Amino acid sequence: MKGGLLVCGTTSDAGKSFFVAGLCRLLARRGVKVAPFKAQNMALNAAVTADGAEIGHAQWVQAMAAGVEPEAAMNPVLLKPTSDRTSQVVVMGRPAGVQSAAEYHGSKPDLLPVVLRALAELRSRYDVVICEGAGSPAEINLLDRDIVNLPLAHAAGLPAIVVGDIDRGGVFAALHGTVELLPAHLRCLVRGFVINRLRGDPALLGDARAELERRSGVPTLGVLPHVPGADLDAEDSLTLDGFGAVSEPSPGAGVEADADVLDVAAIRWPRVANAGDLDPLRLEPHVRVRWVRSVADLGLPDLVLLPGSKNTRGDLAWFRSTGLADAVDRAAAGGDTAVVAVCAGVQMAGGPIDDPQGVEGPPGTDRGLGWLPVATRFAGDKVLDRPAGAAVAGPGAGQRVAGYRIHHGRVRPAGAAAAWLTADDGQAIGWHAGAVCGTTLHGLFEADGFRAAVLGWAAERSGKRWRPGGLRFADARMARLDRIADAIEAHVDLSMLFRIVEEADR
């Protein structure tokens, strides 16, 4: 098979990333050399490639589904919001400055050649490239300079399908309205619909699919059921805010039946980044992970996670103003609650945060929380790497860790800071003091032995009886991707879908 496809959605979080990941996995299982692509992604959940490029986390996972190495060409433009009106623009894996929405819209003609070159280069090396759109392809206020949806497909000679989410209601109106708003030269590129997240009986749809095709001229290729656990690796804020605790396993799933449930509270910053760090914790048997936005929500958790942020000083000010910073401090000082801070979280937990160039907001220096003896200084260039190492002291001592770093803020010891994690080159990448541990490393909880040890430390501090379930996160992630591929295989007309893929111009 040779060709390509653009997967659009009626809205954000309709299931584009889900479908692209599942289709990449399905084709890879059939021996097709396939790669993902998203011209422009807007997300604060990112990952680092082997050669030190920053791309959207969704494309990184889609590459894993395809069984290929992630690379910058798979996501040539990444937008990382820094406020409601500005974003850091990352081009071919490297930061290219901060722009307002209007400035970015004006720069799109210059970015289109970059996007088309990246796509053409991937298509020259892969049999099939599955592209993902962004938002809706029918945003008529942005259509004249759209570089990620149907204008891109038109320029690259790609057919398209549109995914709609039936779980939120109004899917038939959304699908029909999407194509109805498109100009004729783009409307003809839409070759099929996919209905996503059906929780009920497909028979209840009656003849709606046929009626939709009669009105729009576009066939519905399939109706996908709701797939539990599909929100893992999510990057859309709609999905992030919707996740709750993963269902606890039945007795015999690797832990003792009377084990206590660990309560993990993750602070939901206004500009939270790399929330995928929580996913391995969410899959652990008898661990409840929840977002916290207020003192009333906090309670007395066993473990508080301070995740990454794209606006460290701004989110620190929010943390203090809500009273949450003091509440977490009291809980940790009481001896029952452990704290793990990641990336921006460790910057907040330390001492001075100095941003002389105004990399993340107005130039200036703020006082950190003082929980760890470290200091942070921002620089214009960004650290992008994938270190591996080990815990040398504190929770998880002796366990291997690996992950990636994405930050402008350099964290350094300030005084007698005790190393927690050390990279293989000898560089300290984590520190600990009492109930608080912090690191600049994302993805650290994907290391199964280390994750179990840190959760065990939190359980011991709170006096709970908890045992690890022996989960291998890499296996759980691949099993999720296989479930999505299985759903596509079972519920989508693959002969029709593959014919559409093969329509792509080469």
Side-chain angles (χ1 to χ4, degrees):
M1 177 188 296
K2 291 186 180 296
L5 180 71
L6 173 66
V7 179
C8 299
T10 55
T11 62
S12 294
D13 196 36
K16 299 181 295 291
S17 299
F18 166 91
F19 192 86
V20 171
L23 185 53
C24 284
R25 184 66 188 144
L26 173 61
L27 291 172
R29 294 192 315 200
R30 294 184 172 214
V32 177
K33 190 177 181 183
V34 59
F37 177 83
K38 186 163 185 173
Q40 169 207 293
N41 194 354
M42 177 178 280
L44 288 177
N45 208 15
V48 178
T49 66
D51 60 352
E54 183 179 6
I55 65 173
H57 191 262
Q59 283 62 65
W60 188 79
V61 173
Q62 289 161 357
M64 293 179 62
V68 299
E69 186 66 33
E71 56 180 289
M74 294 173 180
N75 178 208
V77 180
L78 174 63
L79 304 178
K80 305 188 74 174
T82 55
S83 73
D84 289 343
R85 296 191 176 187
T86 61
S87 292
Q88 183 182 61
V89 182
V90 179
V91 179
M92 292 302 294
R94 297 290 184 269
V98 175
Q99 293 183 346
S100 68
E103 289 170 338
Y104 175 70
H105 191 60
S107 73
K108 285 181 181 179
D110 296 328
L111 291 172
L112 181 59
V114 176
V115 164
L116 289 173
R117 281 196 301 270
L119 177 56
E121 205 274 330
L122 283 179
R123 294 180 73 188
S124 72
R125 292 187 284 116
Y126 289 91
D127 295 330
V128 174
V129 177
I130 306 298
C131 306
E132 180 182 341
S136 162
E139 302 286 3
I140 54 178
N141 57 315
L142 302 174
L143 204 56
D144 62 326
R145 295 191 177 186
D146 189 332
I147 64 171
V148 63
N149 290 302
L150 291 171
L152 171 70
H154 185 265
L158 295 174
I161 65 171
V162 179
V163 178
D165 178 8
I166 198 170
D167 196 37
R168 287 190 169 92
V171 70
F172 295 107
L175 290 168
H176 179 64
T178 295
V179 296
E180 192 66 21
L181 281 172
L182 295 169
H185 74 288
L186 299 181
R187 187 184 305 130
C188 66
L189 300 177
V190 179
R191 307 287 287 113
F193 294 141
V194 172
I195 294 174
N196 189 30
R197 297 193 185 114
L198 179 69
R199 294 178 185 265
D201 182 355
L204 295 177
L205 299 180
D207 62 355
R209 293 170 58 178
E211 179 65 14
L212 178 63
E213 182 174 0
R214 186 187 71 79
R215 291 173 181 247
S216 66
V218 180
T220 298
L221 306 180
V223 179
L224 292 172
H226 168 69
V227 179
D231 61 341
L232 293 176
D233 293 312
E235 62 182 18
D236 193 291
S237 61
L238 294 172
T239 304
L240 294 180
D241 287 341
F243 87 66
V246 173
S247 299
E248 294 173 30
S250 58
V255 295
E256 299 171 45
D258 59 347
D260 292 324
V261 173
L262 282 186
D263 181 23
V264 178
I267 305 301
R268 179 47 164 108
W269 317 122
R271 296 291 168 190
V272 67
N274 290 82
D277 287 340
L278 277 63
D279 284 342
L281 304 177
R282 295 172 57 207
L283 285 183
E284 273 289 344
H286 294 287
V287 173
R288 175 179 180 243
V289 181
R290 56 193 176 89
W291 285 122
V292 169
R293 289 184 172 84
S294 68
V295 174
D297 292 339
L298 182 64
L300 190 61
D302 305 301
L303 175 64
V304 171
L305 187 72
L306 308 185
S309 164
K310 195 65 187 76
N311 189 342
T312 303
R313 293 162 62 207
D315 282 348
L316 174 59
W318 172 89
F319 194 32
R320 283 191 165 113
S321 68
T322 60
L324 269 169
D326 286 341
V328 171
D329 192 19
R330 289 192 299 270
D336 292 331
T337 298
V339 178
V340 173
V342 179
C343 198
V346 74
Q347 296 168 10
M348 296 183 204
I353 304 172
D354 188 16
D355 188 0
Q357 301 176 40
V359 174
E360 280 193 359
T365 299
D366 283 347
R367 174 179 55 87
L369 298 166
W371 299 346
L372 288 172
V374 297
T376 301
R377 184 177 179 86
F378 278 75
D381 60 320
K382 185 181 288 190
V383 173
L384 295 166
D385 60 10
R386 289 171 37 171
V392 294
Q399 293 288 339
R400 294 287 298 173
V401 292
Y404 54 95
R405 298 191 298 175
I406 304 176
H407 58 256
H408 286 279
R410 274 65 165 176
V411 180
R412 297 288 183 268
W420 177 36
L421 309 180
T422 301
D424 289 338
D425 64 2
Q427 179 185 9
I429 55 175
W431 302 266
H432 73 101
V436 181
C437 295
T439 178
T440 55
L441 190 67
H442 291 291
L444 72 165
F445 292 124
E446 294 185 21
D448 301 318
F450 175 79
R451 178 182 67 252
V454 170
L455 291 172
W457 164 68
E460 184 178 356
R461 286 187 59 85
S462 62
K464 285 194 172 178
R465 186 173 180 272
W466 180 85
R467 297 291 182 274
L471 169 78
R472 293 194 71 249
F473 180 71
D475 291 345
R477 171 181 274 151
M478 194 55 67
R480 164 195 170 264
L481 294 168
D482 278 323
R483 287 198 306 274
I484 300 170
D486 291 344
I488 294 173
E489 195 165 36
H491 299 280
V492 173
D493 185 336
L494 293 185
S495 61
M496 186 178 292
L497 177 62
F498 292 163
R499 283 198 302 271
I500 294 171
V501 170
E502 290 174 337
E503 290 177 5
D505 296 339
R506 297 297 292 184

